[in-house]
Amino acid sequence: MAAEHGPTAGEYIIHHLTHLQNAKPKAVVDFSVFSFDSLFFSIVLGIVTCFLLWKAARKASSGVPGRFQAAVELLVEMVDSQAKGIVHNAESRKFVAPMALTIFVWIFLLNAMDLLPVDLLPFLWEKIYAAAGHDPHHAYLRVVPTADLSITMGLSVSVLLICLYYNVKIKGLGGWIHELFTAPFGNHWALYPFNFAMQMIEFIAKTVSHGMRLFGNMYAGELIFLLIALMGGAWSLSATGIGLAIGHIIAGAVWSIFHILIITLQAFVFMMLALVYLGQAHDHH
Amino acid sequence: MSITGTLIVQMIVFLILVGFTMKYVWPPITAALDERAKKVADGLAAADKAKSELSAANQRVEAELAKSRTETAARLADAERRAQAIIEEAKARATEEGNKIVAAARAEAEQQTVKAREALREQVAALAVRGAEQILRKEVNAGVHSELLSRLKTEL
């Protein structure tokens, strides 16, 4: 923002909400577009997740645990007890419980990107981009992958596919199709279309709300951080400027602290919903 | 704000992460947790066992102590009884001895008395004879008057 003319508030926010992409998406759904920033951060944090968990798993012993091991064990116990309470199938839990753990830790880390100063990584990226000989005004970067709808929907669609897999696996293809047409209203030929429509709506609603909930929370959180950053950006040696800077410090601190709760809660909610949906896939109607 | 190819890539990444966690993270940690739970359970059981063993040992010690206490008391009573008996016996023997000594002394005194009386009688007889001689101015023939003399002696 240190260019010869500062951006307006609108420009600043739009700049921050633009992905680093290979192309502008031409429609609401455009699978030829890839957001490199979201992918980069989610893959890096995915590797960090795996590395942390693997580090704990490698040293896991039944002896007295260290703090880090105890923390990971606490997490594993929490996820395991939740999975046991929701998915009543020991064979499925071998996949479902690790999946829930991955979801929780990974989404927590993805969300935690929100706690970094909102301009820090974009600023560094601008410098790198400029050093590489490009126009720094086009150095777009969004650091919170879960504030990208594609990322959260990717996760929820994965959960949906796993749900479908378990539906077929547990009930058999015939059993599942039978259920699609007979639940929830009952087994009567006149009710078949309504049952099927209901089931389809249920699957779509579950998946969309699953992904949208996480996205909405994180997107809103990011937006508020941007608005708070605008206050500090208006800093000057005047009463208003100093007041706004102080407002930035106070509001930023309060929102960051509150956000610690939100990112943990959203990661937990996403994990719990994934478990609940998978548990439903195991229920016979 | 649109759904992009990022979604597909994210799904692939997600499944890879889940696979990794499932293979390399979850099993060792849960195994360690289960093992620790078992160890703790074993430890608790061992502690319980040790506690019951301790109380049993305490009971044994208590019983042993009680036994030795009664034994000591019995032995003490026995010793006292024996001492009493010995004292009684000694007392009886002493009394007997004393009686014997007293009896012997009494017998001796009797003897001495008899002897003294005899001697006295002798002397009285002699005195009488001498007195009679003095009175009669003449010798009394002891042989002639022996009968008289012995009669006198018995009369004295």
Side-chain angles (χ1 to χ4, degrees):
Chain A
M1 310 312 109
E4 52 278 10
H5 64 94
T8 65
E11 279 169 4
Y12 172 77
I13 288 180
I14 288 172
H15 181 86
H16 271 278
L17 290 181
T18 308
H19 278 291
L20 175 66
Q21 292 168 319
N22 55 345
K24 285 259 163 261
K26 292 171 194 64
V28 174
V29 177
D30 185 348
F31 284 115
S32 65
V33 175
F34 295 94
S35 303
F36 299 125
D37 45 4
S38 298
L39 286 176
F40 173 76
F41 286 117
S42 68
I43 289 170
V44 166
L45 288 173
I47 291 168
V48 169
T49 305
C50 285
F51 178 71
L52 287 178
L53 293 177
W54 173 76
K55 218 164 119 61
R58 199 173 42 120
K59 289 210 223 105
S61 73
S62 56
V64 178
R67 286 182 163 189
F68 174 64
Q69 199 196 326
V72 174
E73 282 174 3
L74 212 67
L75 215 60
V76 169
E77 287 267 24
M78 186 272 287
V79 173
D80 197 32
S81 62
Q82 297 288 2
K84 273 184 183 142
I86 295 171
V87 181
H88 307 288
N89 185 324
E91 190 54 39
S92 299
R93 272 208 304 275
K94 279 186 190 160
F95 173 82
V96 171
M99 186 208 71
L101 179 68
T102 313
I103 286 180
F104 182 70
V105 178
W106 195 24
I107 292 184
F108 177 79
L109 288 179
L110 295 181
N111 290 350
M113 293 301 285
D114 228 354
L115 295 177
L116 290 176
V118 78
D119 273 317
L120 178 65
L121 292 176
F123 177 73
L124 292 176
W125 174 238
E126 234 167 65
K127 293 285 167 227
I128 294 167
Y129 205 67
H134 301 288
D135 180 7
H137 291 296
H138 295 288
Y140 299 113
L141 187 72
R142 287 184 61 185
V143 294
V144 188
T146 39
D148 178 351
L149 189 57
S150 298
I151 293 287
T152 59
M153 287 305 290
L155 289 169
S156 65
V157 169
S158 304
V159 171
L160 173 72
L161 293 182
I162 296 168
C163 278
L164 298 183
Y165 167 75
Y166 275 112
N167 264 316
V168 173
K169 188 187 170 195
I170 300 292
K171 298 160 189 164
L173 189 58
W176 182 49
I177 291 173
H178 180 255
E179 185 186 304
L180 281 183
F181 285 95
T182 57
F185 296 125
N187 191 358
H188 187 279
W189 60 266
L191 293 173
Y192 287 171
F194 302 106
N195 284 329
F196 185 72
M198 228 23 214
Q199 291 270 0
M200 288 305 110
I201 291 170
E202 195 185 330
F203 276 122
I204 291 167
K206 276 200 289 202
T207 303
V208 171
S209 69
H210 199 193
M212 280 288 201
R213 178 179 298 106
L214 179 58
F215 160 75
N217 274 283
M218 288 306 116
Y219 191 75
E222 199 188 12
L223 211 56
I224 290 178
F225 274 120
L226 287 173
L227 293 175
I228 291 171
L230 276 177
M231 286 206 284
W235 146 263
S236 63
L237 271 179
S238 67
T240 335
I242 292 173
L244 282 172
I246 292 173
H248 179 181
I249 292 170
I250 295 172
V254 169
W255 184 243
S256 295
I257 292 166
F258 183 57
H259 221 60
I260 295 174
L261 174 70
I262 292 182
I263 62 175
T264 318
L265 195 67
Q266 286 305 321
F268 182 71
V269 164
F270 199 96
M271 179 199 84
M272 284 306 287
L273 283 176
L275 282 174
V276 167
Y277 295 159
L278 283 166
Q280 283 176 351
H282 287 72
D283 287 342
H284 290 272
H285 289 282
Chain B
M1 216 34 54
S2 51
I3 304 277
T4 62
T6 314
L7 186 146
I8 312 286
V9 182
Q10 174 75 356
M11 284 171 69
I12 296 165
V13 174
F14 175 62
L15 291 179
I16 292 171
L17 294 192
V18 172
F20 179 87
T21 309
M22 194 176 129
K23 195 150 169 51
Y24 298 106
V25 174
W26 192 264
I29 291 180
T30 46
L33 286 176
D34 288 349
E35 199 180 316
R36 178 159 337 120
K38 197 174 156 293
K39 256 191 196 171
V40 171
D42 287 354
L44 286 177
D48 269 350
K49 206 175 137 217
K51 211 184 272 174
S52 70
E53 260 167 24
L54 178 65
S55 82
N58 270 344
Q59 259 167 12
R60 245 190 346 261
V61 168
E62 209 53 52
E64 210 63 28
L65 273 177
K67 209 170 94 187
S68 69
R69 220 174 278 139
T70 57
E71 223 163 74
T72 313
R75 215 163 275 176
L76 272 176
D78 201 31
E80 209 153 299
R81 209 166 44 241
R82 204 172 296 167
Q84 211 63 39
I86 288 169
I87 287 168
E88 285 304 318
E89 199 184 329
K91 228 185 248 173
R93 203 179 299 151
T95 312
E96 197 184 324
E97 204 74 16
N99 285 347
K100 227 184 264 173
I101 288 167
V102 167
R106 197 169 283 156
E108 202 167 330
E110 203 82 19
Q111 232 171 339
Q112 290 291 346
T113 315
V114 169
K115 216 184 267 176
R117 196 174 284 158
E118 214 56 45
L120 219 60
R121 206 174 275 161
E122 246 7 281
Q123 276 170 16
V124 168
L127 260 176
V129 171
R130 194 152 310 148
E133 262 177 3
Q134 293 271 305
I135 298 166
L136 296 175
R137 300 275 185 208
K138 119 182 187 202
E139 200 163 324
V140 174
N141 191 343
V144 176
H145 302 288
S146 66
E147 194 204 344
L148 179 82
L149 279 176
S150 66
R151 200 166 59 231
L152 189 69
K153 239 186 254 180
T154 56
E155 262 171 33
L156 276 173

